[in-house]
Amino acid sequence: MADTPKPTPRIRMAATAKAGDVIEVKTLISHEMESGQRKDASGQPVPRKIIKQFTASFNGREIMKAEWGSAISANPYQSFFVRVPETGTFEFSWLDDDGSIYKAEQKVTVS
Amino acid sequence: MTRFTGRKPCSQSPATPRAKSRREVLLLAAGSSAAAIVGMQRASAAPEQVAAETKKLFGDKKLLDGKIKLELPTIAENGLVVPLSFEVDSPMSDTDYVKAVHLYAEGNPNPLVASFMFTPLSPKAAASIRIRLAGTQNVVAFAEMSGGDVYTTRKEVKVTIGGCGG
């Protein structure tokens, strides 16, 4: 699977909020999430390659972390909630089985 | 249901044209029933496996009912993409919050679906994801509170087309 495109993360969340607001974050990343259960045409098991961890933080402080198993669907979607204490940057990162880290950021301005 | 493409079910039958000879039909039927048997064998050990894994996590702690709202479809047409969302009832304050939520699918070859680690910075112990289910089975959720209590709930999902080997 050398020709699989590089996973691209996408974030959807409000860019402005009031201080203390709770907002929903929707994340999506393109990834095959190969479960390790499938067999290829010659009967050999296809090795597992999934995103195993997702982390969300705000200005460097961790908000939540998710450890994913092979039962997470391809192109993993995840939505959750964050609180906006002040103007700052939310950082999201996805950790692949092969060690790659995919990152996304969203600045939120408190009005 | 074809929004997420690029992925075939685990039993790899290449897309065949409509018209099939009698022999092909018979072969196909034999193949898929064999696949179904393999799928069943693989999935059968899971409820005990879930019990063993949670015992490792929580020891002999008593599991309490309630607090968790687990949302899953009663019938999932496609086991490859099953929407799941949960919310745990908690004030999410510095002293009383949900530490972790663990989700298991009892009928999957690897029962652990996902674990969520929350902090007091999370305003709600809630999330939505999309999961794969190998067949009709129970999905079990465990919520670990900061005080040490563990809550659990389960929901059965009927899967029409398995996400793996069904």
Side-chain angles (χ1 to χ4, degrees), chain B residues 22-162:
Chain B
R22 187 183 144 86
R23 177 188 295 189
E24 276 170 345
V25 171
L26 285 172
L27 273 174
L28 206 71
S32 61
S33 62
I37 291 164
V38 170
M40 269 152 58
Q41 279 173 344
R42 218 170 34 193
S44 62
E48 297 80 51
Q49 221 176 316
V50 173
E53 286 198 32
T54 50
K55 198 166 172 153
K56 255 189 273 167
L57 281 174
F58 313 125
D60 288 323
K61 203 169 273 179
K62 193 167 175 286
L63 303 173
L64 308 164
D65 277 337
K67 293 250 191 198
I68 312 172
K69 202 169 82 192
L70 181 64
E71 276 177 37
L72 278 154
T74 316
I75 297 173
E77 233 169 77
N78 180 0
L80 280 172
V81 183
V82 183
L84 177 156
S85 59
F86 67 85
E87 182 167 356
V88 186
D89 179 22
S90 160
M92 295 306 277
S93 65
D94 285 350
T95 48
D96 183 5
Y97 64 98
V98 179
K99 252 172 42 184
V101 173
H102 308 277
L103 301 168
Y104 290 91
E106 286 188 341
N108 273 9
N110 290 319
L112 180 64
V113 173
S115 289
F116 292 82
M117 270 59 84
F118 293 101
T119 67
L121 287 178
S122 330
K124 282 190 207 181
S128 303
I129 50 173
R130 291 175 186 154
I131 67 170
R132 293 197 268 243
L133 294 175
T136 298
Q137 57 179 292
N138 283 316
V139 174
V140 198
F142 298 90
E144 244 183 298
M145 314 305 255
S146 56
D149 286 347
V150 180
Y151 290 87
T152 182
T153 191
R154 60 178 56 228
K155 190 159 192 288
E156 194 192 22
V157 183
K158 288 194 164 56
V159 177
T160 325
I161 307 165

Side-chain angles (χ1 to χ4, degrees), chain A residues 1 34-35 37-46, chain B residues 6-16 28 31-32 35 42 80 162-166:
Chain A
M1 297 248 180
E34 186 60 64
S35 68
Q37 299 291 331
R38 290 196 313 149
K39 293 197 168 60
D40 64 14
S42 60
Q44 292 301 308
V46 181
Chain B
R7 182 125 186 125
K8 290 194 191 79
C10 305
S11 50
Q12 283 283 297
S13 47
T16 33
L28 206 71
S32 61
R42 218 170 34 193
L80 280 172
C164 203

